[in-house]
Amino acid sequence: MELQALPSRIGQVRRIVSAQLRYWHLDSLIDRAALGVTELLTNVHLHARPDKTCTVELELLLDRLTVSVRDHDPRLPVVDDADPLATCGRGLAMVAAVSESWGARPDGESGKVVWFTLPTAVSAPRATAHPPRRAVAEAPVHPFPEVEQVGLARPQPAPARSAVAG
């Protein structure tokens, strides 16, 4: 989706990203994807020149969601160590912390793409080293049959893209 990276639009994009991830049954990624796209759009709002126009793209492949923001400013972002009392300057560090990977690349002569990825695979619950102990006299009155753990269906191999008009 193409938009002006203004504060009111950033919240709208966050809701659109959340809705798309719910549609794809990737609810577990919503918080991290919303945080990441908010930080990338905030950077466009604060730093991009000559304008604040950008495009947000979601790409779902086999085991990975990629969120990218393309703008018209060719300057690549710089990650600085923020002063402990600073009120800004930690956005890309947060993106790095919540994502599997992230990066930036030039996009033609007058722009760039900043992106991050999130794994879509659902990890199975860890087995405990020892099963819980139970006294010999304890026995369930109505034993339940074993329930098979079922994960989310794997996405199809073809890429899925979202291009919602903004």
Side-chain angles (χ1 to χ4, degrees):
M1 72 189 92
E2 187 171 312
L3 66 133
Q4 288 287 111
L6 303 173
S8 61
R9 296 289 296 185
I10 294 171
Q12 198 174 36
V13 171
R14 193 171 39 245
R15 289 186 293 277
I16 292 169
V17 167
S18 298
Q20 183 64 53
L21 293 178
R22 275 189 208 92
Y23 178 77
W24 285 339
H25 304 288
L26 295 172
D27 297 52
S28 63
L29 302 182
I30 290 173
D31 290 340
R32 291 182 291 154
L35 173 68
V37 78
T38 298
E39 292 303 326
L40 297 186
L41 289 173
T42 299
N43 282 349
V44 172
H45 174 70
L46 294 175
H47 305 292
R49 296 184 199 136
D51 60 29
K52 309 300 181 194
T53 303
C54 63
T55 303
V56 176
E57 183 176 287
L58 303 177
E59 183 177 35
L60 178 61
L61 296 174
L62 287 175
D63 60 348
R64 184 165 289 106
L65 172 72
T66 302
V67 179
S68 57
V69 175
R70 174 178 283 112
D71 65 40
H72 299 132
D73 188 340
R75 297 173 301 154
L76 295 176
V78 176
V79 181
D80 288 327
D81 289 331
D83 183 78
L85 299 177
T87 58
C88 60
R90 294 179 185 86
L92 290 175
M94 287 194 302
V95 170
V98 302
S99 66
E100 179 179 63
S101 60
W102 78 277
R105 66 179 183 273
D107 185 43
E109 293 180 19
S110 60
K112 69 177 168 298
V113 176
V114 184
W115 55 269
F116 64 91
T117 64
L118 299 171
T120 60
V122 177
S123 59
R126 292 183 183 184
T128 56
H130 301 284
R133 294 185 182 181
R134 159 174 94 186
V136 176
E138 272 184 62
V141 178
H142 300 288
F144 294 98
E146 290 295 319
V147 177
E148 181 181 335
Q149 292 281 0
V150 179
L152 294 177
R154 303 294 292 178
Q156 296 297 321
R161 294 177 184 251
S162 176
V164 178

